[in-house]
Amino acid sequence: MTLLERITSLTGLSISSTTSPSQDEVIQLLKDGQHDIFDRIVDLSPEEADLFIKDTSLADGNGSAMVDGRIIYVTRNDGTTDKVCSRIPAAMAGMTQDTESLSYRSKYNPVYYLSKELCYVLPNPTGSETATIWSFKSDTSVAGSDSTFDNFPSKYERHCVLYASYQSLLAKVAEKMAEYPASPASSI
């Protein structure tokens, strides 16, 4: 059963490009639901964040775009093992590379920072000592014909469908409410 069929089954609504809510609006609700469910699950059980992870590798100092991602953690390989990076303010980036600074960081205690929607790891990763950004990225390519989400735990997919169903019903109720007069007409 597709995601849209599941929503239609739950709500009893007919969903197409001309209905309210439209198919495009319901698809957007499914996308919004992924973020809402992720935030709620991780707030209640932070250890569940690992179920939603997608990794992005870095092999240079150019950074990685984090437009639709929520970073769970970052690691950098020191040639032998992956070390978990600490997050620092972007303003401290220069101090971590100064060997005479108390804030100096080597490949054995790496850091990461965010600047202009990019994630940077210091010391800069190399081809043999790469860094990995572990983050939540929603399935932005979800379509009405899909029966599942990419990069989303199957045990929580039902919650996204329920979220979109609930929001679709709210939109339908709002549409029906608009059909009623603002105040009852009285004849005196």
Side-chain angles (χ1 to χ4, degrees), residues 2-182:
T2 69
L3 295 170
L4 281 180
E5 289 171 343
R6 290 166 66 186
I7 292 168
T8 301
S9 174
L10 285 168
T11 63
L13 297 175
S14 174
I15 300 171
S16 70
S17 60
T18 59
T19 60
S20 177
S22 69
Q23 183 172 337
D24 289 342
E25 291 169 332
V26 173
I27 301 272
Q28 184 59 50
L29 291 172
L30 285 167
K31 293 175 184 178
D32 295 346
Q34 291 176 76
H35 288 278
D36 187 71
I37 300 305
F38 171 78
D39 289 340
R40 290 173 188 268
I41 297 294
V42 172
D43 285 347
L44 291 172
S45 302
E47 68 278 0
E48 292 283 298
D50 287 346
L51 297 174
F52 298 86
I53 284 181
K54 182 172 183 178
D55 62 315
T56 305
S57 292
L58 288 174
D60 56 36
N62 294 331
S64 177
M66 297 307 305
V67 176
D68 184 40
R70 180 170 161 186
I71 294 176
I72 310 300
Y73 55 90
V74 177
T75 59
R76 186 193 186 281
N77 190 281
D78 65 5
T80 308
T81 59
D82 288 338
K83 305 288 186 186
V84 176
C85 299
S86 303
R87 183 173 176 180
I88 62 166
M92 287 186 62
M95 292 185 287
T96 65
Q97 300 304 293
D98 180 359
T99 56
E100 294 184 14
S101 170
L102 290 174
S103 299
Y104 174 71
R105 295 299 186 101
S106 72
K107 66 182 182 178
Y108 301 108
N109 60 347
V111 294
Y112 77 95
Y113 66 95
L114 303 177
S115 178
K116 298 179 184 173
E117 296 186 358
L118 292 176
C119 179
Y120 297 92
V121 177
L122 296 173
N124 288 334
T126 64
S128 61
E129 296 178 350
T130 60
T132 305
I133 301 167
W134 304 88
S135 63
F136 165 68
K137 290 191 178 172
S138 63
D139 181 3
T140 56
S141 65
V142 68
S145 58
D146 292 346
S147 58
T148 187
F149 294 102
D150 292 336
N151 198 48
F152 203 84
S154 59
K155 73 180 191 176
Y156 294 123
E157 282 184 357
R158 178 176 162 269
H159 299 284
C160 289
V161 171
L162 289 172
Y163 175 92
S165 297
Y166 173 76
Q167 297 296 335
S168 296
L169 286 171
L170 281 178
K172 191 54 120 177
V173 167
E175 177 188 321
K176 292 293 182 190
M177 292 291 290
E179 294 175 8
Y180 291 101

